[in-house]
Amino acid sequence: MTASPLAEQIAQKLRRDILRGKLAPGDPIKERDNAVDLGVSRTPLREAVRILAKEGLVQLRPARSPIVADPSLKEVRDSVMVLKALEILSGELACREASDAEIAEIRDLSERHLALSETAEGDALIELFEIDMAFHTAIARASHNPALAETHAAYLARMWRQRYLSAVQRRARERVRTQHENIVRGLETRDPARVGAEIDAHLSALIVNLTRLFELRESGRDLTTNEKDIE
Amino acid sequence: MTASPLAEQIAQKLRRDILRGKLAPGDPIKERDNAVDLGVSRTPLREAVRILAKEGLVQLRPARSPIVADPSLKEVRDSVMVLKALEILSGELACREASDAEIAEIRDLSERHLALSETAEGDALIELFEIDMAFHTAIARASHNPALAETHAAYLARMWRQRYLSAVQRRARERVRTQHENIVRGLETRDPARVGAEIDAHLSALIVNLTRLFELRESGRDLTTNEKDIE
DNA sequence: CGTTTGAATCTGGTATACCAAAAAATTCTT
DNA sequence: AAGAATTTTTTGGTATACCAGATTCAAACG
């Protein structure tokens, strides 16, 4: 018995396809076609789709093919607001609960991010981004509140694509570096108020940046490669 | 096509069974047995179990029957902490975003809860409790942040049983009534700080109460095994 | 030529049968 | 009698077949 890795495996594959843009927002995910494509039956694929739906990456529609989610600006902002609340709580708890080793690990991630941030280009951007995500994930875990860490991870996953588009920008990278550093300092001094404030600033800036990105997309060309449904 | 009500329906039934204690924490949920019991096939039952697993009501174990979750005190407290953060954010946003009609609906729920709270006994307790849950859910929805409302609902569901055991107590019912009233007042005056503080107090009290319940259970006999109804 | 209606087709939902892995029980060995 | 190995049973995972609702496209009618 395999504890159903297949469904999780398929979900992982679809996830990556979505995040890297191979599956564009709005694209349908027909469980029949995809099933034969991947050489598996509908049953596990079906489960995979449900998993992604729970994560918010695909939308289930009654009596229609599920489609890759194409969140509106409002939806993204809504999500970031929740993420902000979760992450502030994480940071505050981490000040109390985290071990020195955990904080050191967070600092390490921050420094690796810093080192890569200045030079990264092309495929290395994905690595840069993954370190960024790992940084935030590490803080959530340092809260020693598994439920919180899990929910936080779910929100992070949900916004992978949007955050990726944002994080890749040169201009944003500069800001992110100093803000991460500030957060780490707050953790090292075990100052919940400061950590909370820094995280607040960090994610508020993210909202601003994402808003700008959306406006860019509206006006100029479509970054997502599929036009077919933008109003 | 029915948009898969069956799985949701089964999930709902199992949820209620768990809440009422008919299915005790630690009980296995064998997909074969339950399927024939309910007269449905394993497929939708399987989906139902996954739904409950996502909600945290049952635990999936590789190569073993899923079992009804039996969260430790720490896990419950962790969850309530997250719930508190989510609900405070909901309340604050609701002050800005909610329509007067929505706030009126929340008041209505509060008053129905109040009316039932004094007399309810036996099966009516479940109704009382459902109104309680509806009250909190309505606040989350009034934030006009669907992602927030959804995550909030998930956490509420996850702690159904614990909250039920707490809410049913006579002593707690008194406190809940006045705290709900305070929250409603804060919403009606559109005072985010007050709403946040009241919700904070409300859920902090819940933590205290749940802690007490756990200690009771530890010392005395075990409430969880199958006496299907509490006083 | 436009509208309407009905049938073909595509969708996901459900039931069932089969398979592999892991526990549990039994038996064989020492 | 105790332990180990094997067989039996129980579990969930997967594939497949069938069903019902929804969409859509085309033909027939106005």
Side-chain angles (χ1 to χ4, degrees):
Chain A
M1 243 186 233
T2 26
S4 133
L6 228 189
E8 191 54 55
Q9 211 173 304
I10 296 169
Q12 185 60 30
K13 179 198 171 353
L14 290 176
R15 226 183 322 243
R16 284 192 81 99
D17 284 353
I18 292 173
L19 298 175
R20 303 183 86 149
K22 194 172 163 192
L23 281 171
D27 278 4
I29 303 193
K30 307 182 193 176
E31 73 177 47
R32 260 182 176 81
D33 293 0
N34 277 73
V36 300
D37 284 357
L38 297 172
V40 300
S41 112
R42 285 173 54 204
T43 316
L45 190 136
R46 171 189 196 66
E47 259 191 61
V49 168
R50 300 316 172 101
I51 291 173
L52 298 181
K54 263 286 177 198
E55 292 175 359
L57 274 146
V58 309
Q59 286 181 309
L60 261 45
R61 310 174 295 178
R64 304 296 297 276
S65 292
I67 58 175
V68 177
D70 186 12
S72 66
L73 175 57
K74 178 181 187 312
E75 285 168 331
V76 171
R77 295 177 69 162
D78 283 353
S79 290
V80 177
M81 265 187 243
V82 178
L83 184 69
K84 194 165 79 177
L86 293 173
E87 203 152 314
I88 289 173
L89 177 60
S90 294
E92 289 169 351
L93 290 176
C95 286
R96 262 198 297 137
E97 304 292 340
S99 69
D100 290 341
E102 283 169 328
I103 292 181
E105 188 198 326
I106 292 170
R107 162 161 292 288
D108 184 57
L109 282 167
S110 172
E111 281 170 5
R112 281 168 57 199
H113 181 270
L114 189 110
L116 247 169
S117 176
E118 317 210 18
T119 65
E121 212 59 56
D123 271 0
L125 285 176
I126 291 187
E127 197 192 334
L128 174 68
F129 182 61
E130 278 169 350
I131 293 177
D132 189 352
M133 302 293 270
F135 174 78
H136 289 274
T137 302
I139 293 175
R141 273 207 315 266
S143 72
H144 287 210
N145 182 329
L148 176 56
E150 192 183 323
T151 303
H152 176 268
Y155 267 86
L156 229 46
R158 180 191 298 217
M159 295 186 297
W160 235 73
R161 181 158 174 75
Q162 281 73 35
R163 293 196 69 168
Y164 178 68
L165 292 178
S166 167
V168 153
Q169 300 178 301
R170 263 242 146 56
R171 164 163 25 168
R173 278 147 72 180
E174 170 83 27
R175 168 178 59 73
V176 167
R177 283 199 293 264
T178 69
Q179 289 185 332
H180 279 194
E181 174 62 21
N182 288 340
I183 293 170
V184 173
R185 288 248 171 77
L187 286 171
E188 284 171 340
T189 56
R190 308 266 179 184
D191 181 348
R194 177 176 180 189
V195 170
E198 295 293 352
I199 291 175
D200 193 328
H202 185 37
L203 292 185
S204 296
L206 175 63
I207 292 182
V208 170
N209 201 32
L210 287 172
T211 304
R212 203 175 60 79
L213 267 179
F214 260 81
E215 281 161 1
L216 260 174
R217 193 175 82 172
E218 294 279 309
S219 56
R221 294 265 328 101
D222 186 336
L223 295 173
T224 64
T225 74
N226 88 318
E227 28 273 82
K228 99 163 21 147
D229 59 10
I230 317 289
E231 90 248 329
Chain B
M1 242 190 236
T2 26
S4 129
L6 228 187
E8 191 54 55
Q9 210 173 306
I10 296 169
Q12 184 60 30
K13 178 197 172 356
L14 290 175
R15 234 185 313 247
R16 282 188 81 103
D17 284 351
I18 293 173
L19 165 66
R20 304 181 69 158
K22 195 170 161 192
L23 282 171
D27 277 4
I29 304 194
K30 309 181 192 175
E31 72 178 48
R32 258 183 176 78
D33 294 359
N34 278 75
V36 300
D37 284 357
L38 297 172
V40 300
S41 116
R42 285 172 55 204
T43 317
L45 189 136
R46 171 188 197 68
E47 258 192 61
V49 168
R50 300 314 171 103
I51 291 173
L52 297 182
K54 263 287 177 197
E55 292 175 359
L57 273 147
V58 310
Q59 287 180 310
L60 261 43
R61 309 174 296 178
R64 301 299 295 276
S65 292
I67 59 174
V68 177
D70 187 11
S72 67
L73 174 58
K74 177 179 187 314
E75 286 169 330
V76 171
R77 295 177 70 161
D78 282 353
S79 290
V80 178
M81 265 187 241
V82 179
L83 185 69
K84 194 165 79 176
L86 294 173
E87 202 153 314
I88 289 173
L89 177 59
S90 294
E92 289 169 351
L93 289 176
C95 286
R96 261 198 297 135
E97 304 293 340
S99 69
D100 290 341
E102 283 169 327
I103 291 182
E105 187 198 327
I106 292 170
R107 164 162 289 289
D108 184 56
L109 282 166
S110 172
E111 281 170 5
R112 280 168 57 197
H113 182 271
L114 188 112
L116 247 169
S117 176
E118 317 211 16
T119 65
E121 212 59 56
D123 272 1
L125 285 175
I126 290 188
E127 198 191 335
L128 174 68
F129 181 61
E130 279 171 348
I131 293 177
D132 189 352
M133 302 292 271
F135 174 79
H136 289 272
T137 301
I139 293 174
R141 273 207 315 265
S143 72
H144 288 210
N145 182 330
L148 175 56
E150 191 183 323
T151 303
H152 176 268
Y155 267 86
L156 227 47
R158 178 191 299 217
M159 296 185 296
W160 250 46
R161 178 157 175 78
Q162 282 72 34
R163 295 197 67 168
Y164 178 68
L165 292 178
S166 167
V168 151
Q169 299 178 302
R170 267 244 146 53
R171 159 159 33 163
R173 278 147 74 180
E174 171 82 27
R175 169 179 59 74
V176 167
R177 284 198 293 265
T178 69
Q179 288 184 332
H180 279 194
E181 174 62 21
N182 288 341
I183 294 169
V184 173
R185 288 248 172 77
L187 286 171
E188 285 171 340
T189 56
R190 308 268 177 182
D191 181 348
R194 177 175 180 190
V195 170
E198 295 293 352
I199 290 175
D200 194 329
H202 185 36
L203 292 185
S204 296
L206 175 63
I207 292 181
V208 170
N209 200 33
L210 287 172
T211 303
R212 203 176 59 80
L213 266 179
F214 259 82
E215 280 162 1
L216 259 175
R217 192 174 83 173
E218 293 281 310
S219 57
R221 16 158 244 13
D222 190 330
L223 290 175
T224 64
T225 51
N226 274 353
E227 36 249 69
K228 92 169 11 152
D229 232 329
I230 320 297
E231 93 242 13

